[in-house]
Amino acid sequence: MTIRSALLATALLAATGATAFAQARDNVIAAPVLRANVAVTGDLVRIGDVIDNAGTSAQIAIYRAPDLGTTGTLSTAQVVATLRAHQVIGVDTRDLREISVTRLARTLESKDIELHVARALEHRSGLGDAANLSLTFDRDVQDLRLEASNSGALQPTSVRFESRNNRFDVTFEVANDSVATPTRLRFTGTAIETVEAAVLARNVERNEVLKSSDVIVERRPKAEVGGDAAARDRAIGMQARRQLRAGQPLKTADLAKPDLVQRDQSVTLIYEASGLYLTIRGKALEGGTEGDVVNVLNLQSKRTIAGVVIGRGQVSISIATPRLPAASDATSSLQSDETAAPVSVAASKYSPVAPKTE
């Protein structure tokens, strides 16, 4: 009995020692450790944010968080004093002199906001593609920071556009992971549909031919350009029908093919027919472009004739060719049963006449 009691006492002492050792080991592991970099998602910094192993004190708020998307610093001495005030002692500072605190945020860039508004307005009340819309907001749109918990996509919930004054009013909702109520964002302003237009870089006089350096491409309101806007590649080399000013969008009606023949210009008259090619100097009595019919003066015959402009300083003159009658159009006095006598076309008028055979 005595031996059994001794063995039991020894076992109890061993178990007690093991438990005390485990507790001591846990106390060493669970010692609070200061963090060098802290990231928070809300507007408060809590004890559990700045140290590891905060235990039951983790949810105690000790500081106000910096602004959304910004970072602030706290001295280690200040943090330790604050923790001690809340009965958190024995903090391992790891020889840090300060810690940084960053408030996480979701950033919506201004260009993305404009794109979402344009897509919401696309094809509404006569508007075209989003890429062709020029937006002017009532308030300057800058990068917008939201709480990090606003992780949802921008969903348009209300879209209004008045075509008579180009006013828009668009509201978006962004789902929030922390609360059931989504975040609402509202934007107002004006929207104008634009098109690429060929615009003059300088003043152009009437009948002047446009060069490549005279025409640039700009986006202009569709209502300003109209439906007959001239493309830049088609405007170059064309002639202005009237005087045009710099900055003016070009229209198809403003342009014409360049005159290849000018009034009072010396030109080459070209007579061409089958087996015949003849050139004569002439004088243009009016101007014209390729394919135009113009009056010209034949300087040799002093006659006014009409010709077709075929090149720079060249006018083609048509030569009328007589029309030969078709075989079916010929008439004859012979009866159907009569045969025409052969006629010799080789006989000379000086050939002797053969005596008549009796």
Side-chain angles (χ1 to χ4, degrees), residues 47 114 117 180 206 216 281 318:
I47 291 179
E114 292 185 17
V117 173
R206 183 176 180 271
I216 58 177
R281 301 303 299 170
S318 299

Side-chain angles (χ1 to χ4, degrees), residues 74-97:
L74 293 169
S75 69
T76 300
Q78 180 183 359
V79 175
V80 171
T82 303
L83 294 175
R84 186 180 295 115
H86 292 279
Q87 287 74 48
V88 179
I89 58 176
V91 177
D92 180 4
T93 62
R94 298 186 297 163
D95 296 328
L96 297 174
R97 306 185 68 175

Side-chain angles (χ1 to χ4, degrees), residues 194-259:
T194 64
V195 294
E196 285 190 349
V199 179
L200 287 175
R202 63 178 182 87
N203 294 332
V204 173
E205 299 298 325
R206 183 176 180 271
N207 293 332
E208 192 171 353
V209 177
L210 300 181
K211 302 186 294 295
S212 178
S213 59
D214 296 333
V215 186
I216 58 177
V217 176
E218 291 182 355
R219 279 207 164 271
R220 293 294 181 88
K222 184 177 180 180
E224 175 187 344
V225 176
D228 61 340
R232 181 180 184 274
D233 56 346
R234 295 189 178 183
I236 296 172
M238 298 294 280
Q239 180 175 295
R241 292 181 181 270
R242 56 187 179 86
Q243 187 179 29
L244 303 172
R245 68 181 185 277
Q248 178 177 345
L250 290 173
K251 299 182 179 181
T252 304
D254 296 330
L255 306 173
K257 292 182 179 180
D259 287 343

Side-chain angles (χ1 to χ4, degrees), residues 99-333:
I99 66 172
S100 65
V101 180
T102 301
R103 185 174 179 183
L104 301 179
R106 177 186 178 183
T107 301
L108 299 177
E109 296 184 358
S110 58
K111 62 179 181 180
D112 291 334
I113 294 174
E114 292 185 17
L115 179 59
H116 277 83
V117 173
R119 286 176 176 173
L121 294 171
E122 187 175 42
H123 301 152
R124 287 182 177 267
S125 302
L127 291 177
D129 295 339
N132 295 330
L133 299 184
S134 175
L135 305 180
T136 302
F137 291 84
D138 292 336
R139 294 183 178 180
D140 291 339
V141 177
Q142 300 178 350
D143 292 351
L144 183 62
R145 291 188 176 93
L146 303 177
E147 295 284 356
S149 57
N150 290 286
S151 59
L154 270 71
Q155 297 291 342
T157 57
S158 174
V159 181
R160 290 184 295 175
F161 178 75
E162 294 290 341
S163 57
R164 68 176 185 274
N165 56 11
N166 299 322
R167 294 284 303 170
F168 69 80
D169 188 337
V170 180
T171 300
F172 296 96
E173 285 188 355
V174 183
N176 193 313
D177 296 336
S178 300
V179 295
T181 304
T183 299
R184 286 184 172 83
L185 302 174
R186 181 184 178 191
F187 303 96
T188 59
T190 57
I192 298 176
E193 184 174 2
T194 64
V195 294
E196 285 190 349
V199 179
L200 287 175
R202 63 178 182 87
N203 294 332
V204 173
E205 299 298 325
R206 183 176 180 271
N207 293 332
E208 192 171 353
V209 177
L210 300 181
K211 302 186 294 295
S212 178
S213 59
D214 296 333
V215 186
I216 58 177
V217 176
E218 291 182 355
R219 279 207 164 271
R220 293 294 181 88
K222 184 177 180 180
E224 175 187 344
V225 176
D228 61 340
R232 181 180 184 274
D233 56 346
R234 295 189 178 183
I236 296 172
M238 298 294 280
Q239 180 175 295
R241 292 181 181 270
R242 56 187 179 86
Q243 187 179 29
L244 303 172
R245 68 181 185 277
Q248 178 177 345
L250 290 173
K251 299 182 179 181
T252 304
D254 296 330
L255 306 173
K257 292 182 179 180
D259 287 343
L260 299 180
V261 171
Q262 302 287 339
R263 181 187 176 95
D264 296 331
Q265 175 187 354
S266 294
V267 296
T268 300
L269 308 182
I270 300 174
Y271 295 84
E272 189 172 5
S274 178
L276 174 66
Y277 185 87
L278 178 65
T279 61
I280 299 176
R281 301 303 299 170
K283 178 182 178 181
L285 302 181
E286 53 188 345
T289 187
E290 184 177 4
D292 287 350
V293 178
V294 296
N295 289 320
V296 292
L297 177 66
N298 186 328
L299 296 179
Q300 183 173 336
S301 65
K302 305 301 180 183
R303 292 178 54 195
T304 299
I305 52 180
V308 179
V309 178
I310 60 173
R312 190 169 297 281
Q314 295 181 330
V315 178
S316 176
I317 307 299
S318 299
I319 300 177
T321 56
R323 178 177 178 272
L324 296 177
S328 60
D329 294 338
T331 59
S332 175
S333 61

